[in-house]
Amino acid sequence: MSELTHLDETGAARMVDVTEKAVTSREARAEGFIAMRPETVAMIVDGEHPKGDVLATARIAGIMAAKKTHELIPLCHALNLTSVKVHLTPVSDGATGVHLEAVCRLTGQTGVEMEALTAVNIAALTLYDMCKAVDRGMVIRDVRLLEKQGGRSGHWKRG
């Protein structure tokens, strides 16, 4: 296992110095799932939720969150994201809920994994917030990085 990059030689927390890192095209993809009752999914899909378009609101929240990741997670760099896409797919067969996926891209000196993970988490929390009046038992789960490309460590994909 490599060393923890956010700790200096004495073990103190530090921001990683990316000054000498090459500027490359970078991309990260993350996913998650919010489980909910079938009636809640149906309300969202049928556009009958009293708060309006729940999926559009969650999508925008995820995009905004990716752009603000450096304000939420200590030691993250402020990044000039060139693309953030958040996909929300209602699922009604087997496990019911909404599958979330975020893809973040940029050309820069550091990766965008935290931005993709933040987008998924905040989109899921927004869905929870908007639907909690009708379904308090929702569960956000399985948030994880699926793939990252670019940078010194190259391409990584979940097996």
Side-chain angles (χ1 to χ4, degrees):
M1 178 183 271
S2 4
E3 65 182 51
L4 296 174
T5 57
H6 286 85
L7 299 177
D8 70 12
E9 60 281 345
T10 68
R14 68 175 174 123
M15 186 174 194
V16 175
D17 183 353
V18 297
T19 306
E20 301 302 321
K21 289 178 85 176
V23 173
T24 63
S25 178
R26 297 163 186 264
E27 179 177 304
R29 189 167 55 95
E31 73 173 350
F33 189 78
I34 181 166
M36 58 185 68
R37 296 179 321 168
E39 300 82 13
T40 309
V41 174
M43 182 182 291
I44 292 169
V45 170
D46 296 339
E48 296 175 357
H49 197 286
K51 291 189 178 181
D53 190 340
V54 174
L55 296 177
T57 304
R59 185 177 304 106
I60 292 168
I63 293 167
M64 290 174 63
K67 293 165 53 174
K68 292 182 172 279
T69 298
H70 69 283
E71 296 176 19
L72 302 169
I73 300 175
L75 309 178
C76 275
H77 292 84
L79 302 180
N80 187 23
L81 296 170
T82 56
S83 176
V84 178
K85 295 179 181 167
V86 177
H87 305 284
L88 306 167
T89 307
V91 178
S92 301
D93 56 342
T96 59
V98 177
H99 177 261
L100 305 98
E101 185 174 311
V103 179
C104 295
R105 299 182 71 202
L106 62 64
T107 301
Q109 295 169 288
T110 188
V112 291
E113 297 92 340
M114 296 312 300
E115 287 70 16
L117 288 162
T118 299
V120 167
N121 275 292
I122 296 303
L125 286 169
T126 300
L127 286 172
Y128 189 97
D129 182 51
M130 293 189 76
C131 296
K132 69 181 183 267
V134 296
D135 188 355
R136 292 203 187 271
M138 293 175 287
V139 176
I140 298 168
R141 64 175 196 232
D142 303 327
V143 175
R144 59 194 181 162
L145 183 68
L146 293 175
E147 186 173 13
K148 63 82 62 193
Q149 296 182 61
R152 185 173 47 213
S153 62
H155 187 196
W156 177 89
K157 188 171 186 176
R158 183 168 295 283

